[in-house]
Amino acid sequence: MKPIPTFCKTDYQFLRELILKSKNSTNAKEANQLSQELDRAVISKESDLDSSVIRINSFVTIEDVNAKKQMKIQIVLPSYADLKQSKISILAPLSVAIIGFKENDEVDWELPAGIKTLKIIAVDNSAVYHS
């Protein structure tokens, strides 16, 4: 069963606004998926949020469970996305699949070729802005 995502109130509200702005964009499908994840999420206080939860600006190491391949990415706002630097937009399908989850969670990522299972190996939130 898929784990329940967790967000702090600030990130939750910010993502809700981002989804509203993205409704008519090319990312409408991803914005809709992100909205569904937010609908079932647990909202926690910033101070109570587990430090291994993936947030905006988190550096994440994930592993494709079947291929045994790891990759390191950073989840960023759409305007900062840069694939060459492994900076992935929060509205990209990969980010939508893992945001709000934490180290050791396994999540399914839907690709055109089928569903991949990803394991979250490590999360570094040192770059996250804390309000």
Side-chain angles (χ1 to χ4, degrees), residues 73-85:
I73 61 167
Q74 183 181 18
I75 295 179
V76 296
L77 298 177
S79 55
Y80 294 106
D82 182 348
L83 282 177
K84 287 189 187 93
Q85 295 182 354

Side-chain angles (χ1 to χ4, degrees), residues 8-56:
C8 68
K9 202 170 181 182
T10 322
D11 284 3
Y12 177 85
Q13 289 169 331
F14 181 83
L15 290 170
R16 281 282 181 212
E17 286 171 27
L18 188 65
I19 289 165
L20 288 174
K21 290 177 192 158
S22 307
K23 282 292 184 208
N24 303 320
S25 74
T26 52
N27 300 24
K29 181 184 173 209
E30 286 75 21
N32 194 30
Q33 287 173 322
L34 183 57
S35 181
Q36 289 172 355
E37 287 295 280
L38 290 174
D39 288 345
R40 65 188 202 94
V42 173
I43 310 305
S44 118
K45 280 193 213 147
E46 181 91 36
S47 55
D48 296 340
L49 196 67
D50 188 318
S51 63
S52 70
V53 168
I54 298 170
R55 306 175 58 182
I56 300 164

